[in-house]
mmCIF file with all atom_site columns, all heavy atoms in Angstrom:
data_model
loop_
_atom_site.group_PDB
_atom_site.id
_atom_site.type_symbol
_atom_site.label_atom_id
_atom_site.label_alt_id
_atom_site.label_comp_id
_atom_site.label_asym_id
_atom_site.label_entity_id
_atom_site.label_seq_id
_atom_site.pdbx_PDB_ins_code
_atom_site.Cartn_x
_atom_site.Cartn_y
_atom_site.Cartn_z
_atom_site.occupancy
_atom_site.B_iso_or_equiv
_atom_site.pdbx_formal_charge
_atom_site.auth_seq_id
_atom_site.auth_comp_id
_atom_site.auth_asym_id
_atom_site.auth_atom_id
_atom_site.pdbx_PDB_model_num
ATOM 1   N N   . GLY C 1 158 ? -11.191 1.099   -12.074 1.00 51.00 ? 175 GLY C N   1
ATOM 2   C CA  . GLY C 1 158 ? -11.061 0.209   -11.089 1.00 51.00 ? 175 GLY C CA  1
ATOM 3   C C   . GLY C 1 158 ? -11.108 -1.287  -11.596 1.00 51.00 ? 175 GLY C C   1
ATOM 4   O O   . GLY C 1 158 ? -11.750 -1.497  -12.625 1.00 51.00 ? 175 GLY C O   1
ATOM 5   N N   . ARG C 1 161 ? -15.107 -6.410  -10.369 1.00 62.00 ? 178 ARG C N   1
ATOM 6   C CA  . ARG C 1 161 ? -15.518 -7.139  -9.259  1.00 62.00 ? 178 ARG C CA  1
ATOM 7   C C   . ARG C 1 161 ? -16.475 -8.246  -9.520  1.00 62.00 ? 178 ARG C C   1
ATOM 8   O O   . ARG C 1 161 ? -17.206 -8.675  -8.625  1.00 62.00 ? 178 ARG C O   1
ATOM 9   C CB  . ARG C 1 161 ? -16.167 -6.048  -8.278  1.00 62.00 ? 178 ARG C CB  1
ATOM 10  C CG  . ARG C 1 161 ? -15.232 -5.072  -7.737  1.00 62.00 ? 178 ARG C CG  1
ATOM 11  C CD  . ARG C 1 161 ? -14.368 -5.589  -6.562  1.00 62.00 ? 178 ARG C CD  1
ATOM 12  N NE  . ARG C 1 161 ? -15.405 -6.068  -5.564  1.00 62.00 ? 178 ARG C NE  1
ATOM 13  C CZ  . ARG C 1 161 ? -14.949 -6.526  -4.287  1.00 62.00 ? 178 ARG C CZ  1
ATOM 14  N NH1 . ARG C 1 161 ? -13.668 -6.721  -4.083  1.00 62.00 ? 178 ARG C NH1 1
ATOM 15  N NH2 . ARG C 1 161 ? -15.781 -6.886  -3.416  1.00 62.00 ? 178 ARG C NH2 1
ATOM 16  N N   . ALA C 1 246 ? 16.645  -27.831 -7.431  1.00 85.00 ? 263 ALA C N   1
ATOM 17  C CA  . ALA C 1 246 ? 17.979  -28.201 -7.189  1.00 85.00 ? 263 ALA C CA  1
ATOM 18  C C   . ALA C 1 246 ? 18.110  -29.573 -6.907  1.00 85.00 ? 263 ALA C C   1
ATOM 19  O O   . ALA C 1 246 ? 19.198  -30.245 -7.207  1.00 85.00 ? 263 ALA C O   1
ATOM 20  C CB  . ALA C 1 246 ? 18.392  -27.345 -5.958  1.00 85.00 ? 263 ALA C CB  1
ATOM 21  N N   . GLY C 1 249 ? 18.764  -31.297 -9.844  1.00 82.00 ? 266 GLY C N   1
ATOM 22  C CA  . GLY C 1 249 ? 19.959  -30.881 -10.592 1.00 82.00 ? 266 GLY C CA  1
ATOM 23  C C   . GLY C 1 249 ? 19.655  -29.840 -11.772 1.00 82.00 ? 266 GLY C C   1
ATOM 24  O O   . GLY C 1 249 ? 20.325  -29.808 -12.716 1.00 82.00 ? 266 GLY C O   1
ATOM 25  N N   . ARG C 1 254 ? 24.803  -20.007 -11.808 1.00 90.00 ? 271 ARG C N   1
ATOM 26  C CA  . ARG C 1 254 ? 25.519  -18.867 -12.299 1.00 90.00 ? 271 ARG C CA  1
ATOM 27  C C   . ARG C 1 254 ? 24.552  -17.903 -13.058 1.00 90.00 ? 271 ARG C C   1
ATOM 28  O O   . ARG C 1 254 ? 24.501  -16.721 -12.934 1.00 90.00 ? 271 ARG C O   1
ATOM 29  C CB  . ARG C 1 254 ? 26.443  -19.380 -13.618 1.00 90.00 ? 271 ARG C CB  1
ATOM 30  C CG  . ARG C 1 254 ? 27.557  -20.251 -13.116 1.00 90.00 ? 271 ARG C CG  1
ATOM 31  C CD  . ARG C 1 254 ? 28.169  -20.947 -14.417 1.00 90.00 ? 271 ARG C CD  1
ATOM 32  N NE  . ARG C 1 254 ? 27.213  -21.567 -15.266 1.00 90.00 ? 271 ARG C NE  1
ATOM 33  C CZ  . ARG C 1 254 ? 27.503  -21.825 -16.550 1.00 90.00 ? 271 ARG C CZ  1
ATOM 34  N NH1 . ARG C 1 254 ? 28.582  -21.655 -16.998 1.00 90.00 ? 271 ARG C NH1 1
ATOM 35  N NH2 . ARG C 1 254 ? 26.453  -22.361 -17.237 1.00 90.00 ? 271 ARG C NH2 1
ATOM 36  N N   . MET C 1 257 ? 22.619  -15.932 -10.391 1.00 90.00 ? 274 MET C N   1
ATOM 37  C CA  . MET C 1 257 ? 23.410  -14.808 -9.789  1.00 90.00 ? 274 MET C CA  1
ATOM 38  C C   . MET C 1 257 ? 23.580  -13.722 -10.781 1.00 90.00 ? 274 MET C C   1
ATOM 39  O O   . MET C 1 257 ? 23.534  -12.500 -10.469 1.00 90.00 ? 274 MET C O   1
ATOM 40  C CB  . MET C 1 257 ? 24.899  -15.307 -9.493  1.00 90.00 ? 274 MET C CB  1
ATOM 41  C CG  . MET C 1 257 ? 24.880  -16.175 -8.201  1.00 90.00 ? 274 MET C CG  1
ATOM 42  S SD  . MET C 1 257 ? 26.448  -17.020 -7.805  1.00 90.00 ? 274 MET C SD  1
ATOM 43  C CE  . MET C 1 257 ? 27.492  -15.530 -7.310  1.00 90.00 ? 274 MET C CE  1
ATOM 44  N N   . ARG C 1 351 ? 11.686  16.390  -10.201 1.00 61.00 ? 368 ARG C N   1
ATOM 45  C CA  . ARG C 1 351 ? 11.793  16.398  -8.737  1.00 61.00 ? 368 ARG C CA  1
ATOM 46  C C   . ARG C 1 351 ? 12.967  17.246  -8.467  1.00 61.00 ? 368 ARG C C   1
ATOM 47  O O   . ARG C 1 351 ? 12.983  18.026  -7.482  1.00 61.00 ? 368 ARG C O   1
ATOM 48  C CB  . ARG C 1 351 ? 11.826  15.157  -8.172  1.00 61.00 ? 368 ARG C CB  1
ATOM 49  C CG  . ARG C 1 351 ? 10.543  14.522  -8.008  1.00 61.00 ? 368 ARG C CG  1
ATOM 50  C CD  . ARG C 1 351 ? 10.554  13.093  -7.501  1.00 61.00 ? 368 ARG C CD  1
ATOM 51  N NE  . ARG C 1 351 ? 10.986  13.063  -6.134  1.00 61.00 ? 368 ARG C NE  1
ATOM 52  C CZ  . ARG C 1 351 ? 10.559  12.000  -5.370  1.00 61.00 ? 368 ARG C CZ  1
ATOM 53  N NH1 . ARG C 1 351 ? 9.976   11.048  -5.730  1.00 61.00 ? 368 ARG C NH1 1
ATOM 54  N NH2 . ARG C 1 351 ? 11.089  12.067  -4.170  1.00 61.00 ? 368 ARG C NH2 1
ATOM 55  N N   . ARG C 1 355 ? 13.090  20.579  -6.380  1.00 49.00 ? 372 ARG C N   1
ATOM 56  C CA  . ARG C 1 355 ? 13.830  20.717  -5.092  1.00 49.00 ? 372 ARG C CA  1
ATOM 57  C C   . ARG C 1 355 ? 14.787  21.802  -5.129  1.00 49.00 ? 372 ARG C C   1
ATOM 58  O O   . ARG C 1 355 ? 14.865  22.403  -4.159  1.00 49.00 ? 372 ARG C O   1
ATOM 59  C CB  . ARG C 1 355 ? 14.726  19.378  -4.963  1.00 49.00 ? 372 ARG C CB  1
ATOM 60  C CG  . ARG C 1 355 ? 15.181  19.170  -3.635  1.00 49.00 ? 372 ARG C CG  1
ATOM 61  C CD  . ARG C 1 355 ? 16.235  17.944  -3.534  1.00 49.00 ? 372 ARG C CD  1
ATOM 62  N NE  . ARG C 1 355 ? 15.296  16.725  -3.814  1.00 49.00 ? 372 ARG C NE  1
ATOM 63  C CZ  . ARG C 1 355 ? 15.651  15.788  -4.668  1.00 49.00 ? 372 ARG C CZ  1
ATOM 64  N NH1 . ARG C 1 355 ? 16.714  15.822  -5.444  1.00 49.00 ? 372 ARG C NH1 1
ATOM 65  N NH2 . ARG C 1 355 ? 14.853  14.702  -4.893  1.00 49.00 ? 372 ARG C NH2 1
ATOM 66  N N   . VAL C 1 363 ? 7.507   27.903  -2.566  1.00 36.00 ? 380 VAL C N   1
ATOM 67  C CA  . VAL C 1 363 ? 6.655   27.982  -3.790  1.00 36.00 ? 380 VAL C CA  1
ATOM 68  C C   . VAL C 1 363 ? 5.373   28.657  -3.186  1.00 36.00 ? 380 VAL C C   1
ATOM 69  O O   . VAL C 1 363 ? 4.525   27.907  -2.698  1.00 36.00 ? 380 VAL C O   1
ATOM 70  C CB  . VAL C 1 363 ? 6.450   26.699  -4.377  1.00 36.00 ? 380 VAL C CB  1
ATOM 71  C CG1 . VAL C 1 363 ? 5.612   26.883  -5.601  1.00 36.00 ? 380 VAL C CG1 1
ATOM 72  C CG2 . VAL C 1 363 ? 7.722   25.921  -4.815  1.00 36.00 ? 380 VAL C CG2 1
ATOM 73  N N   . LYS Y 2 55  ? -19.699 -3.387  -1.808  1.00 73.00 ? 62  LYS Y N   1
ATOM 74  C CA  . LYS Y 2 55  ? -19.209 -4.477  -2.678  1.00 73.00 ? 62  LYS Y CA  1
ATOM 75  C C   . LYS Y 2 55  ? -17.758 -4.765  -2.715  1.00 73.00 ? 62  LYS Y C   1
ATOM 76  O O   . LYS Y 2 55  ? -17.214 -5.421  -3.557  1.00 73.00 ? 62  LYS Y O   1
ATOM 77  C CB  . LYS Y 2 55  ? -19.623 -4.143  -4.160  1.00 73.00 ? 62  LYS Y CB  1
ATOM 78  C CG  . LYS Y 2 55  ? -21.246 -4.127  -4.340  1.00 73.00 ? 62  LYS Y CG  1
ATOM 79  C CD  . LYS Y 2 55  ? -21.552 -4.178  -5.786  1.00 73.00 ? 62  LYS Y CD  1
ATOM 80  C CE  . LYS Y 2 55  ? -22.993 -4.471  -5.987  1.00 73.00 ? 62  LYS Y CE  1
ATOM 81  N NZ  . LYS Y 2 55  ? -23.408 -4.394  -7.407  1.00 73.00 ? 62  LYS Y NZ  1
ATOM 82  N N   . ARG Y 2 56  ? -17.202 -4.221  -1.733  1.00 68.00 ? 63  ARG Y N   1
ATOM 83  C CA  . ARG Y 2 56  ? -15.710 -4.422  -1.423  1.00 68.00 ? 63  ARG Y CA  1
ATOM 84  C C   . ARG Y 2 56  ? -14.743 -4.193  -2.644  1.00 68.00 ? 63  ARG Y C   1
ATOM 85  O O   . ARG Y 2 56  ? -13.855 -4.951  -2.926  1.00 68.00 ? 63  ARG Y O   1
ATOM 86  C CB  . ARG Y 2 56  ? -15.626 -5.941  -0.927  1.00 68.00 ? 63  ARG Y CB  1
ATOM 87  C CG  . ARG Y 2 56  ? -16.565 -6.293  0.121   1.00 68.00 ? 63  ARG Y CG  1
ATOM 88  C CD  . ARG Y 2 56  ? -16.335 -7.769  0.601   1.00 68.00 ? 63  ARG Y CD  1
ATOM 89  N NE  . ARG Y 2 56  ? -17.249 -8.119  1.581   1.00 68.00 ? 63  ARG Y NE  1
ATOM 90  C CZ  . ARG Y 2 56  ? -17.026 -9.008  2.462   1.00 68.00 ? 63  ARG Y CZ  1
ATOM 91  N NH1 . ARG Y 2 56  ? -16.022 -9.934  2.176   1.00 68.00 ? 63  ARG Y NH1 1
ATOM 92  N NH2 . ARG Y 2 56  ? -17.961 -9.267  3.370   1.00 68.00 ? 63  ARG Y NH2 1
ATOM 93  N N   . THR Y 2 60  ? -10.331 3.144   -6.335  1.00 63.00 ? 67  THR Y N   1
ATOM 94  C CA  . THR Y 2 60  ? -9.441  3.558   -7.366  1.00 63.00 ? 67  THR Y CA  1
ATOM 95  C C   . THR Y 2 60  ? -8.967  5.025   -7.116  1.00 63.00 ? 67  THR Y C   1
ATOM 96  O O   . THR Y 2 60  ? -9.582  5.627   -6.192  1.00 63.00 ? 67  THR Y O   1
ATOM 97  C CB  . THR Y 2 60  ? -10.140 3.549   -8.726  1.00 63.00 ? 67  THR Y CB  1
ATOM 98  O OG1 . THR Y 2 60  ? -11.260 4.291   -8.627  1.00 63.00 ? 67  THR Y OG1 1
ATOM 99  C CG2 . THR Y 2 60  ? -10.573 2.092   -9.093  1.00 63.00 ? 67  THR Y CG2 1
ATOM 100 N N   . CYS Y 2 260 ? 0.740   27.271  -2.037  1.00 75.00 ? 267 CYS Y N   1
ATOM 101 C CA  . CYS Y 2 260 ? 0.714   25.912  -2.613  1.00 75.00 ? 267 CYS Y CA  1
ATOM 102 C C   . CYS Y 2 260 ? 2.089   25.190  -2.462  1.00 75.00 ? 267 CYS Y C   1
ATOM 103 O O   . CYS Y 2 260 ? 3.157   25.898  -2.832  1.00 75.00 ? 267 CYS Y O   1
ATOM 104 C CB  . CYS Y 2 260 ? 0.426   26.062  -4.043  1.00 75.00 ? 267 CYS Y CB  1
ATOM 105 S SG  . CYS Y 2 260 ? -1.282  26.227  -4.458  1.00 75.00 ? 267 CYS Y SG  1
ATOM 106 N N   . GLY Y 2 289 ? 13.827  16.477  1.513   1.00 74.00 ? 296 GLY Y N   1
ATOM 107 C CA  . GLY Y 2 289 ? 14.187  17.011  0.206   1.00 74.00 ? 296 GLY Y CA  1
ATOM 108 C C   . GLY Y 2 289 ? 14.304  15.807  -0.761  1.00 74.00 ? 296 GLY Y C   1
ATOM 109 O O   . GLY Y 2 289 ? 13.945  15.952  -1.924  1.00 74.00 ? 296 GLY Y O   1
ATOM 110 N N   . ARG Y 2 290 ? 14.852  14.687  -0.255  1.00 71.00 ? 297 ARG Y N   1
ATOM 111 C CA  . ARG Y 2 290 ? 14.971  13.598  -1.159  1.00 71.00 ? 297 ARG Y CA  1
ATOM 112 C C   . ARG Y 2 290 ? 13.605  13.048  -1.662  1.00 71.00 ? 297 ARG Y C   1
ATOM 113 O O   . ARG Y 2 290 ? 13.299  12.523  -2.771  1.00 71.00 ? 297 ARG Y O   1
ATOM 114 C CB  . ARG Y 2 290 ? 15.715  12.469  -0.424  1.00 71.00 ? 297 ARG Y CB  1
ATOM 115 C CG  . ARG Y 2 290 ? 17.128  12.570  -0.267  1.00 71.00 ? 297 ARG Y CG  1
ATOM 116 C CD  . ARG Y 2 290 ? 17.712  11.545  0.879   1.00 71.00 ? 297 ARG Y CD  1
ATOM 117 N NE  . ARG Y 2 290 ? 19.091  11.648  1.028   1.00 71.00 ? 297 ARG Y NE  1
ATOM 118 C CZ  . ARG Y 2 290 ? 19.900  10.940  0.349   1.00 71.00 ? 297 ARG Y CZ  1
ATOM 119 N NH1 . ARG Y 2 290 ? 19.523  9.936   -0.466  1.00 71.00 ? 297 ARG Y NH1 1
ATOM 120 N NH2 . ARG Y 2 290 ? 21.175  10.967  0.558   1.00 71.00 ? 297 ARG Y NH2 1
ATOM 121 N N   . TYR Y 2 447 ? 30.996  -13.565 -6.526  1.00 90.00 ? 454 TYR Y N   1
ATOM 122 C CA  . TYR Y 2 447 ? 30.925  -13.653 -7.985  1.00 90.00 ? 454 TYR Y CA  1
ATOM 123 C C   . TYR Y 2 447 ? 32.223  -14.175 -8.617  1.00 90.00 ? 454 TYR Y C   1
ATOM 124 O O   . TYR Y 2 447 ? 32.326  -15.067 -9.525  1.00 90.00 ? 454 TYR Y O   1
ATOM 125 C CB  . TYR Y 2 447 ? 30.458  -12.331 -8.660  1.00 90.00 ? 454 TYR Y CB  1
ATOM 126 C CG  . TYR Y 2 447 ? 28.985  -12.181 -8.648  1.00 90.00 ? 454 TYR Y CG  1
ATOM 127 C CD1 . TYR Y 2 447 ? 28.321  -11.723 -7.509  1.00 90.00 ? 454 TYR Y CD1 1
ATOM 128 C CD2 . TYR Y 2 447 ? 28.213  -12.531 -9.670  1.00 90.00 ? 454 TYR Y CD2 1
ATOM 129 C CE1 . TYR Y 2 447 ? 26.996  -11.659 -7.414  1.00 90.00 ? 454 TYR Y CE1 1
ATOM 130 C CE2 . TYR Y 2 447 ? 26.887  -12.243 -9.779  1.00 90.00 ? 454 TYR Y CE2 1
ATOM 131 C CZ  . TYR Y 2 447 ? 26.243  -11.838 -8.582  1.00 90.00 ? 454 TYR Y CZ  1
ATOM 132 O OH  . TYR Y 2 447 ? 24.780  -11.752 -8.603  1.00 90.00 ? 454 TYR Y OH  1
ATOM 133 N N   . GLN Y 2 454 ? 33.561  -22.375 -12.680 1.00 83.00 ? 461 GLN Y N   1
ATOM 134 C CA  . GLN Y 2 454 ? 32.262  -22.671 -13.336 1.00 83.00 ? 461 GLN Y CA  1
ATOM 135 C C   . GLN Y 2 454 ? 32.094  -24.251 -13.473 1.00 83.00 ? 461 GLN Y C   1
ATOM 136 O O   . GLN Y 2 454 ? 31.142  -24.719 -13.000 1.00 83.00 ? 461 GLN Y O   1
ATOM 137 C CB  . GLN Y 2 454 ? 32.064  -22.065 -14.639 1.00 83.00 ? 461 GLN Y CB  1
ATOM 138 C CG  . GLN Y 2 454 ? 31.916  -20.487 -14.538 1.00 83.00 ? 461 GLN Y CG  1
ATOM 139 C CD  . GLN Y 2 454 ? 31.578  -19.957 -15.847 1.00 83.00 ? 461 GLN Y CD  1
ATOM 140 O OE1 . GLN Y 2 454 ? 30.725  -20.437 -16.667 1.00 83.00 ? 461 GLN Y OE1 1
ATOM 141 N NE2 . GLN Y 2 454 ? 32.170  -18.842 -16.254 1.00 83.00 ? 461 GLN Y NE2 1
ATOM 142 N N   . ARG Y 2 469 ? 23.696  -34.568 -3.289  1.00 82.00 ? 476 ARG Y N   1
ATOM 143 C CA  . ARG Y 2 469 ? 22.449  -33.872 -3.778  1.00 82.00 ? 476 ARG Y CA  1
ATOM 144 C C   . ARG Y 2 469 ? 22.012  -32.982 -2.672  1.00 82.00 ? 476 ARG Y C   1
ATOM 145 O O   . ARG Y 2 469 ? 21.659  -31.831 -2.845  1.00 82.00 ? 476 ARG Y O   1
ATOM 146 C CB  . ARG Y 2 469 ? 21.397  -34.852 -4.126  1.00 82.00 ? 476 ARG Y CB  1
ATOM 147 C CG  . ARG Y 2 469 ? 21.689  -35.698 -5.324  1.00 82.00 ? 476 ARG Y CG  1
ATOM 148 C CD  . ARG Y 2 469 ? 21.042  -35.320 -6.546  1.00 82.00 ? 476 ARG Y CD  1
ATOM 149 N NE  . ARG Y 2 469 ? 20.733  -33.958 -6.730  1.00 82.00 ? 476 ARG Y NE  1
ATOM 150 C CZ  . ARG Y 2 469 ? 21.524  -32.954 -7.242  1.00 82.00 ? 476 ARG Y CZ  1
ATOM 151 N NH1 . ARG Y 2 469 ? 22.822  -33.290 -7.661  1.00 82.00 ? 476 ARG Y NH1 1
ATOM 152 N NH2 . ARG Y 2 469 ? 21.043  -31.678 -7.389  1.00 82.00 ? 476 ARG Y NH2 1
#
Side-chain angles (χ1 to χ4, degrees):
Chain C
R178 290 277 304 179
R271 301 169 308 160
M274 290 174 70
R368 285 174 67 157
R372 196 180 297 134
V380 175
Chain Y
K62 291 194 170 177
R63 305 176 181 202
T67 58
C267 281
R297 284 164 178 266
Y454 275 78
Q461 291 185 46
R476 294 262 24 93

